[in-house]
Amino acid sequence: MTEPRPKIVGFCCERHGMDAVVLAARSGKQFEVSVRLVQVPCTGRVDGMHILRSLEEGADAVFVLGCLEKNCYYDTGSIEGRKRVGYVKQMLSELGLEKERVEMFNAASSNSWVFPEIVAKMVEVVRKFGPVGGEKR
Amino acid sequence: MIVAKRKPLNEIAEMLAPYKKVTIIGCRSCVAICLAGGEKEVKMLVSALKIKNKRDGRKQQIEGTVVERQCEKEWVQEIEDEILDSDVTLSMACSLGAQTIGDMYPKHLTFPGLNTGIFGVPEEQGVWSENCVGCGNCIIHTTGGICPIARCAKSMLNGPCGGSANRKCEVNLEVDCAWSAIYDRLKLQNRLDLIESVTPAKDWSASHSGGRRVIVREDAKLTQHQKKGKGVT
């Protein structure tokens, strides 16, 4: 029996974040994980509620990918996104859960290497801690 | 408005751990504005606790709902079924909301999810500061609109204490001395003469020191006949 693949949810801004993902996808690289991407207008639109709901509904890890902070299409959106991620991390810590399950990343449209790096990092986190409610994968 | 802060999540989780069915109730008034117990905060808390339960393998049913104003019985009554259907209710309103539910359903357990803090004003986004303590006898017309009871650590009524230095409070050097602010405001208003007038010792019986306070407006109260007509008991 093959072991279940880590389930990762990524909230990507429709500007640089998604562009960087699309660029990486065009390279044809295959991932041994289930990554569900949610396109949002801006990472400033991502709320802690969305991140926690993803974990509640079965995601093992969640990442938010936005523009570079000094080059955000909406100026301060990715800064807002980082703050929201920080708040969720704090909530997870208070509950004794692994805050590493939630991360914020930034990329420029041309950074094709960022998405594979993010996936690798999040997979490592899931392999280390296992799914939220079960054995290690 | 009333400003509150969510209790640490581990404290909340511990409080709720023995119960199977939990209803978390938020409030759309003050605590929603101060980002402590509105709809979003309730949803986040429900999710966070469910994740914690999933991790710990604990079976607990957690539901979240929000009322317009938890301190008013009429709004709470609308969710009576949800309250009574649970083993425990966690109020994400200020203590007034939690106590309203507790008074309405005395046999039912109602726990506080927030620590009620201050009567505060938003200084900037995410920052609220205390400007009133509800002492029951407002004097800010004589102090340039700045309350020395709330804003001075010692609630001085006749100028600053000896510890005030460089316009800062000795209790906390980050905080401006209230009397320094009052002096500036009175100067701006050309009413500096007020600073020399002596304010007599305050009658604290109108404050909380006089025991639990009840404010009544007789003309607004319903007569027995009106209560009967409205079905109010």
Side-chain angles (χ1 to χ4, degrees):
Chain A
M1 198 175 128
T2 54
E3 60 177 28
R5 296 191 301 177
K7 283 184 278 185
I8 295 166
V9 170
F11 292 94
C12 303
C13 78
E14 66 182 13
R15 300 292 169 173
H16 292 247
M18 211 55 180
D19 284 354
V21 173
V22 169
L23 201 60
R26 281 193 185 138
S27 70
K29 186 173 169 55
Q30 299 285 310
F31 300 100
E32 285 304 307
V33 286
S34 161
V35 183
R36 179 163 293 186
L37 297 176
V38 181
Q39 183 173 312
V40 288
C42 172
T43 48
R45 176 66 186 88
V46 179
D47 198 277
M49 205 163 64
H50 304 128
I51 300 170
L52 286 167
R53 190 69 193 271
S54 305
L55 291 171
E56 181 197 332
E57 294 291 331
D60 300 320
V62 180
F63 70 86
V64 178
L65 175 59
C67 307
L68 294 172
E69 284 188 10
K70 288 182 180 169
N71 196 27
C72 176
Y73 188 83
Y74 294 107
D75 193 19
T76 58
S78 48
I79 295 172
E80 282 301 324
R82 186 170 293 281
K83 287 196 281 186
R84 310 270 163 83
V85 168
Y87 187 71
V88 172
K89 276 174 169 284
Q90 188 198 322
M91 286 182 81
L92 294 176
S93 294
E94 280 180 34
L95 282 169
L97 301 168
E98 305 84 15
K99 61 180 182 183
E100 293 84 352
R101 289 184 188 276
V102 179
E103 287 297 345
M104 173 80 197
F105 298 97
N106 303 90
S109 300
S110 56
N111 296 164
S112 61
W113 64 88
V114 172
F115 183 61
E117 277 180 11
I118 292 171
V119 174
K121 184 172 178 190
M122 298 318 282
V123 167
E124 195 186 316
V125 167
V126 179
R127 297 239 188 265
K128 184 177 172 191
F129 298 116
V132 175
E135 297 298 313
K136 281 188 181 182
R137 283 178 181 157
Chain B
M1 65 178 173
I2 294 171
V3 184
K5 197 176 175 187
R6 175 174 49 71
K7 280 181 175 288
L9 288 174
N10 51 357
E11 195 182 324
I12 292 177
E14 202 177 310
M15 220 190 277
L16 301 175
Y19 306 97
K20 294 281 178 217
K21 279 179 96 174
V22 177
T23 300
I24 298 177
I25 306 176
C27 177
R28 287 201 180 92
S29 297
C30 312
V31 293
I33 308 296
C34 69
L35 310 174
E39 191 163 2
K40 197 183 279 184
E41 289 74 30
V42 168
K43 283 183 176 171
M44 285 178 77
L45 181 62
V46 169
S47 280
L49 292 173
K50 282 183 176 175
I51 296 165
K52 165 89 172 157
N53 285 343
K54 200 158 121 183
R55 161 44 63 97
D56 296 348
R58 182 186 295 121
K59 284 196 168 40
Q60 189 178 48
Q61 191 182 325
I62 306 174
E63 301 292 340
T65 188
V66 189
V67 293
E68 205 60 35
R69 264 192 300 283
Q70 215 180 103
C71 56
E72 293 181 6
K73 292 178 182 174
E74 290 81 356
W75 294 107
V76 174
Q77 207 146 26
E78 288 188 355
I79 54 156
E80 184 176 82
D81 292 346
E82 288 162 71
I83 294 171
L84 296 179
D85 195 37
S86 61
D87 298 329
V88 64
T89 297
L90 183 82
S91 168
M92 287 291 280
C94 65
S95 177
L96 303 179
Q99 291 187 58
T100 300
I101 297 175
D103 287 346
M104 287 174 74
Y105 311 106
K107 278 189 177 173
H108 182 78
L109 298 180
T110 306
F111 295 163
L114 304 183
N115 289 326
T116 307
I118 54 175
F119 292 160
V121 291
E123 292 288 347
E124 58 176 283
Q125 191 168 309
V127 180
W128 296 268
S129 59
E130 185 173 31
N131 276 4
C132 175
V133 293
C135 72
N137 189 9
C138 195
I139 55 155
I140 64 168
H141 57 292
T142 63
T143 55
I146 294 167
C147 177
I149 308 292
R151 289 166 70 168
C152 168
K154 298 171 186 171
S155 297
M156 303 291 284
L157 283 170
N158 289 291
C161 68
S164 171
N166 301 320
R167 313 178 74 79
K168 295 290 177 191
C169 174
E170 70 170 343
V171 172
N172 181 353
L173 293 177
E174 301 284 308
V175 175
D176 291 329
C177 168
W179 275 98
S180 172
I182 290 169
Y183 176 85
D184 290 344
R185 183 72 64 81
L186 288 174
K187 194 175 176 187
L188 191 73
Q189 294 175 349
N190 235 352
R191 298 201 301 161
L192 264 184
D193 53 307
L194 281 173
I195 213 147
E196 288 182 356
S197 62
V198 176
T199 306
K202 191 174 173 63
D203 175 9
W204 289 99
S205 65
S207 75
H208 178 67
S209 307
R212 188 191 185 197
R213 294 168 285 176
V214 177
I215 294 175
V216 180
R217 185 167 153 168
E218 288 295 343
D219 64 308
K221 283 180 74 180
L222 297 180
T223 62
Q224 280 305 322
H225 177 68
Q226 286 173 313
K227 281 183 182 175
K228 204 174 170 189
K230 285 177 182 275
V232 180
T233 49

